[in-house]
């Protein structure tokens, strides 16, 4: 059956920060399920279907990474799978308090489940879906921080021109 981790979140949209956590988790788990929460307080930019489609396309060649969505309590969703571990990423200390409360609450709701935290990588500690959206909307480039597919979808959402990648030349 193998070890399964549920990686829940908004993924609005998925970034290389998220993908890095998934890739590293695959060194520990046999399967990672990216679980998109449908009922967060936040007003998402992308619909659940759009977010699922992006994640599924990006991981189409990785049979051990699945994407799903869930409504309601995370612990109830996890209990329906054969996973025992909730996977979360940690960036700065600012993430800590919220994550600590959520993990403690989830453990009080279901003592059979544990939350595993993985530290962000040095390349992505400043990457969040929120700042990626803000920067794109204001015309800034997010190359290297999100996959090209995500960068294109963001530009479509904000009705920005999609330019082809090209080498910078001094002759331009
Ligand atoms: P949520 O709304 O549940 O916080 P997010 O999609 O923002 O959902 O994040 C999902 C998880 O991924 C969270 O645990 C978050 O801390 C983690 N995460 C987001 N960005 C990064 C990053 N750049 N590096 C490491 N972890 C990250």
């Amino acid at each position: 059956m193998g070890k399964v981790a549920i990686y829940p979140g908004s993924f609005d949209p998925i970034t290389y920060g998220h993908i890095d956590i998934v890739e590293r988790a695959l060194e520990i788990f046999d399967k990672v399920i990216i679980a998109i929460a449908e009922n967060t307080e936040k007003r998402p930019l992308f619909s659940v279907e759009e977010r699922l489609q992006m994640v599924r396309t990006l991981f189409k060649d990785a049979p051990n990474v699945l994407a799903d969505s869930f409504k309601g309590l995370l612990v109830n969703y996890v209990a329906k799978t054969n996973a025992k571990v909730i996977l979360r990423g940690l960036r700065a200390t600012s993430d800590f308090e919220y994550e600590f409360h959520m993990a403690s609450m989830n453990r009080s709701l279901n003592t059979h489940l544990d939350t595993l935290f993985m530290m962000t990588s040095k390349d992505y500690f400043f990457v969040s879906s929120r700042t990626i959206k803000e920067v794109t909307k204001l015309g800034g480039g997010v190359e290297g921080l999100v996959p090209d597919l995500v960068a294109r979808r963001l530009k479509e959402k904000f009705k920005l021109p999609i330019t082809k990648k090209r080498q910078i030349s001094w002759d331009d």
Side-chain angles (χ1 to χ4, degrees):
M1 208 157 63
K3 291 200 188 83
V4 184
I6 305 286
Y7 184 22
S10 313
F11 303 99
D12 185 40
I14 189 162
T15 70
Y16 276 136
H18 295 125
I19 291 172
D20 175 65
I21 296 287
V22 172
E23 284 177 342
R24 287 158 57 205
L26 287 173
E27 302 284 328
I28 307 169
F29 297 96
D30 300 302
K31 192 156 102 183
V32 172
I33 301 175
I34 297 175
I36 298 174
E38 282 199 37
N39 55 342
T40 55
E41 305 279 291
K42 303 170 184 171
R43 268 192 46 150
L45 176 67
F46 292 98
S47 69
V48 172
E49 289 68 32
E50 288 171 323
R51 283 177 272 163
L52 271 174
Q53 191 265 339
M54 279 188 271
V55 174
R56 287 188 176 141
T57 306
L58 293 168
F59 287 101
K60 66 178 187 315
D61 297 323
N64 44 1
V65 180
L66 300 180
D68 196 6
S69 62
F70 70 98
K71 281 196 183 107
L73 279 179
L74 171 64
V75 291
N76 291 348
Y77 168 74
V78 179
K80 281 190 267 168
T81 69
N82 56 1
K84 295 270 175 287
V85 173
I86 297 166
L87 175 69
R88 295 283 287 176
L90 268 188
R91 282 160 298 187
T93 48
S94 49
D95 276 344
F96 178 79
E97 196 164 330
Y98 173 73
E99 294 293 343
F100 179 50
H101 286 168
M102 282 307 296
S104 307
M105 178 57 89
N106 284 336
R107 197 145 170 81
S108 123
L109 292 168
N110 185 335
T111 48
H112 301 293
L113 303 179
D114 229 318
T115 306
L116 182 87
F117 292 98
M118 293 186 77
M119 291 292 176
T120 182
S121 299
K122 65 170 175 32
D123 298 330
Y124 305 121
F125 71 92
F126 58 96
V127 177
S128 70
S129 300
R130 188 167 65 89
T131 47
I132 291 289
K133 284 181 277 193
E134 276 171 14
V135 168
T136 310
K137 194 175 179 180
L138 298 172
V142 290
E143 289 78 17
L145 305 179
V146 296
D148 288 349
L149 165 78
V150 174
R152 280 201 307 276
R153 293 281 188 282
L154 280 162
K155 284 183 177 167
E156 283 162 15
K157 274 279 174 204
F158 295 125
K159 301 195 170 25
L160 295 165
I162 297 171
T163 45
K164 282 237 154 51
K165 253 203 250 163
R166 61 186 183 127
Q167 297 289 317
I168 294 169
S169 153
W170 296 115
D171 303 329
D172 277 2

